[in-house]
Amino acid sequence: MRQVLAPSAVGSLRAEYGPGAIVIPDQLVDRTSGRAQTYYDIGGAVHVSFADPYCPAGRSTAVATARAGDWETVDGGTLVVIEGPRFSTRAESQWFAGNGWSIVGMTGFPEAILARELALCYTSISLVTDHDAGVEAGQGVTHDEVLEFFAQNVTRMRTLVSETVQSLPEERTCSCGSALDGIKLPFELP
Ligand SMILES: [Zn+2]
């Protein structure tokens, strides 16, 4: 199994779940700018499928492990990755939520597409640290609050990641490994 597990801190765009929930997203919206998002930037473009950005096997293992570990666990949802370093305005946050998106963070892209370009599996394990500014329950976010909440949960989070690693299937049944099949690469990856 060649699986990247990506723990991160996110804000919730939904009133239904708040600090302490684990979301295992199944979709991603890229609102970053200026981040390099391909390895193949010389000698011709490479277009890999990214319709489903996350590994289904990694996702189901992470969901089951989080549930077994007594986390409030949300199976699926859309992670919006913003450029940062600033947090969202209320209007941006309401716009994200209005589009049906679930959580917002500053990491996870381009990591997910870079993993796909290497035919690696990639699974996001997102810990909600706050309600984002546009959510009714959200008062706006400060960096200190996020850091403090994350610090309180870091040991538990580490346990979740290591238990997920141990529960991953030996056999690779997902299609992540064939992401580059039939694609002519401009150069060989090391
Ligand atoms: Zn996979």
Side-chain angles (χ1 to χ4, degrees), residues 86-131:
R86 67 169 178 82
F87 291 110
S88 310
T89 66
R90 254 177 237 287
E92 287 165 339
S93 184
Q94 282 161 2
W95 177 55
F96 298 159
N99 282 328
W101 305 337
S102 316
I103 47 177
V104 56
M106 295 174 199
T107 57
F109 193 89
E111 294 91 320
I113 182 60
L114 293 174
R116 179 63 55 82
E117 282 198 346
L118 297 177
L120 295 169
C121 297
Y122 186 96
T123 302
S124 163
I125 301 177
S126 295
L127 170 66
V128 175
T129 55
D130 53 270
H131 271 116

Side-chain angles (χ1 to χ4, degrees), residues 23-30 50-54 59 75-81 100-103 112 124 126:
V23 182
I24 312 295
D26 60 356
Q27 279 297 322
L28 180 153
V29 171
D30 169 25
F50 199 50
D52 294 300
Y54 299 113
R59 288 193 62 259
D75 180 1
T78 299
L79 166 64
V80 193
V81 183
W101 305 337
S102 316
I103 47 177
S124 163
S126 295

